[in-house]
């Protein structure tokens, strides 16, 4: 094998790898972005209709679909310009090396303990709150437009930030790793039809930022005291304290740790089967 053929092979491999990475990123963001998922489904339906019309020689529908396919890309760029911009912004926010800080088991449990203690108090006193925990997608754009804190996480500090008449009460609080980075952040509100009209701006903001990033949004309702979690464009409403705590602990687990947990479970099952 000559040097030129090796170089050509590497080029082809790099070409396939780049295409694979593009498709992976697109599909990953489609799963998180409700609007883009609907757009993708619409494109798939049009392609299927075009194939069916060509197969059965349906002249009229084929004629219409030809115009849709010809002018569709331009129309999509105009109509879905905000969604396309959001995807490009997500690309800029993505951190190639993962979270700012991967928490140890003890750090993670302490963070969750402090958050749960604060939320339990806020729930009891019916004090509204919105806490956003950063994961792989950076929230730096929102941090820059909010009040910087950079303090250690404690239930007392969380409660004091959301206490009524505090200037930062109405905004969102952002957590990075085991630090409170900023407060008073303003997030985009979701216009999803799935969310109840009875829920206010705080819940819609929690859902909105979860549609654009992979963060965890924790919400305490000011009217009812109910607690909820928004992630991946889905709102888990009216959770118990135990459900709330377990969900945060599970979602903050590092990806490597999740893999190790699965492997340990498989080994344990194999051992049990051998004993039986």
């Amino acid at each position: 094998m000559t040097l030129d053929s090796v170089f050509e092979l590497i080029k082809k491999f790099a070409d396939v790898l780049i295409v694979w990475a593009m498709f992976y990123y697109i599909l990953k963001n489609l799963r998180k972005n409700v609007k883009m998922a609907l757009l993708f489904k619409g494109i798939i339906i049009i392609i299927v209709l075009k194939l069916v019309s060509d197969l059965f020689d349906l002249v009229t529908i084929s004629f219409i679909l030809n115009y849709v396919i010809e002018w569709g890309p331009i129309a999509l760029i105009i109509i879905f310009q905000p969604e396309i911009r959001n995807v490009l912004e997500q690309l800029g926010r993505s951190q190639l090396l993962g979270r700012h800080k991967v928490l140890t088991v003890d750090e993670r449990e302490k963070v969750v303990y402090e958050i749960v203690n604060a939320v339990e108090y806020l729930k009891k006193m019916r004090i509204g709150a919105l806490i956003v925990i950063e994961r792989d997608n950076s929230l730096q754009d929102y941090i820059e437009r909010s009040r910087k804190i950079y303090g250690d996480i404690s239930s007392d500090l969380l409660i004091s930030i959301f206490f009524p008449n505090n200037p930062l009460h109405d905004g969102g609080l952002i957590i990075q790793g085991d630090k409170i980075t900023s407060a008073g952040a303003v997030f985009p509100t979701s216009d999803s039809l799935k969310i109840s009209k009875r829920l206010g701006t705080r819940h819609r903001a929690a859902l909105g930022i979860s549609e654009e990033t992979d963060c965890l949004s924790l919400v305490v309702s000011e009217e009812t005291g109910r607690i909820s979690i928004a992630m991946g464009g889905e709102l888990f409403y009216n959770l118990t304290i135990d459900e709330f705590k377990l969900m945060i602990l599970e979602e903050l687990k590092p990806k490597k740790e999740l893999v190790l947990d699965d492997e340990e479970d498989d080994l344990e099952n194999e051992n049990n089967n051998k004993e039986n």
Side-chain angles (χ1 to χ4, degrees):
M1 185 177 285
T2 63
L3 188 62
D4 289 340
S5 60
V6 172
F7 183 69
E8 189 67 26
L9 187 64
I10 292 173
K11 278 183 17 180
K12 290 180 179 178
F13 177 76
D15 187 25
V16 172
L17 187 64
I18 292 170
V19 172
W20 176 86
M22 288 172 58
F23 273 101
Y24 171 78
Y25 181 79
I26 291 170
L27 292 174
K28 181 181 176 182
N29 280 278
L30 282 173
R31 181 174 58 85
K32 295 177 182 176
N33 193 309
V34 178
K35 294 178 182 177
M36 290 301 291
L38 294 174
L39 171 61
F40 184 74
K41 288 178 183 177
I43 293 172
I44 294 296
I45 290 171
I46 290 173
I47 292 172
V48 170
L49 286 174
K50 176 61 177 172
L51 293 174
V52 171
S53 65
D54 290 344
L55 180 64
F56 294 99
D57 197 22
L58 304 176
V59 179
T60 305
I61 189 68
S62 182
F63 177 78
I64 295 172
L65 288 174
N66 283 335
Y67 274 102
V68 171
I69 293 171
E70 183 178 353
W71 297 101
I74 297 174
L76 289 176
I77 291 172
I78 296 171
I79 296 171
F80 291 96
Q81 183 261 344
E83 285 72 32
I84 295 170
R85 186 180 68 245
N86 287 338
V87 171
L88 294 175
E89 286 176 353
Q90 284 180 24
L91 179 61
R93 284 195 293 264
S94 296
Q95 302 175 74
L96 297 177
L97 299 178
R99 300 184 182 92
H100 287 281
K101 178 181 180 182
V102 177
L103 301 177
T104 64
V105 174
D106 290 339
E107 288 173 333
R108 185 169 69 244
E109 289 182 352
K110 183 182 184 303
V111 167
V112 175
Y113 173 80
E114 297 293 343
I115 292 173
V116 170
N117 274 358
V119 167
E120 202 165 7
Y121 177 85
L122 296 170
K123 170 183 171 67
K124 180 181 177 182
M125 302 304 294
R126 292 195 179 184
I127 298 173
L130 172 56
I131 301 171
V132 175
I133 303 175
E134 182 187 82
R135 294 202 280 181
D136 288 337
N137 295 149
S138 174
L139 298 173
Q140 194 60 40
D141 289 347
Y142 302 101
I143 292 170
E144 289 174 358
R145 298 194 296 266
S146 57
R147 185 68 61 85
K148 314 299 185 301
I149 295 177
Y150 297 114
D152 293 333
I153 295 176
S154 70
S155 55
D156 291 337
L157 181 55
L158 290 170
I159 291 169
S160 65
I161 289 172
F162 290 109
F163 205 78
N165 299 324
N166 188 314
L168 303 176
H169 166 73
D170 290 328
L173 180 146
I174 297 175
I175 291 176
Q176 291 179 313
D178 58 351
K179 302 289 183 183
I180 298 174
T181 304
S182 65
V186 178
F187 302 117
T189 56
S190 173
D191 55 1
S192 172
L193 299 177
K194 294 181 181 179
I195 189 170
S196 172
K197 293 181 180 179
R198 294 177 297 175
L199 300 179
T201 306
R202 189 174 281 112
H203 287 84
R204 291 191 173 275
L207 192 61
I209 189 63
S210 78
E211 290 173 347
E212 293 193 3
T213 71
D214 66 342
C215 69
L216 285 182
S217 299
L218 319 177
V219 190
V220 182
S221 172
E222 192 168 353
E223 289 75 21
T224 64
R226 292 174 177 173
I227 54 177
S228 309
I229 295 179
M231 60 179 176
E234 187 173 358
L235 182 68
F236 299 87
Y237 182 67
N238 193 19
L239 300 171
T240 64
I241 285 292
D242 288 337
E243 291 171 336
F244 182 81
K245 180 179 179 180
L246 289 174
M247 190 175 290
I248 300 173
L249 279 170
E250 187 65 27
E251 292 300 324
L252 291 184
K253 276 186 178 180
K255 294 173 183 176
K256 290 182 179 179
E257 187 175 320
L258 288 173
V259 173
L260 290 174
D261 287 346
D262 291 338
E263 290 177 353
E264 288 174 0
D265 291 339
D266 292 339
L267 288 172
E268 186 177 345
N269 291 331
E270 287 178 7
N271 292 332
N272 290 334
N273 290 332
K274 287 178 181 178
E275 290 175 1
N276 294 332

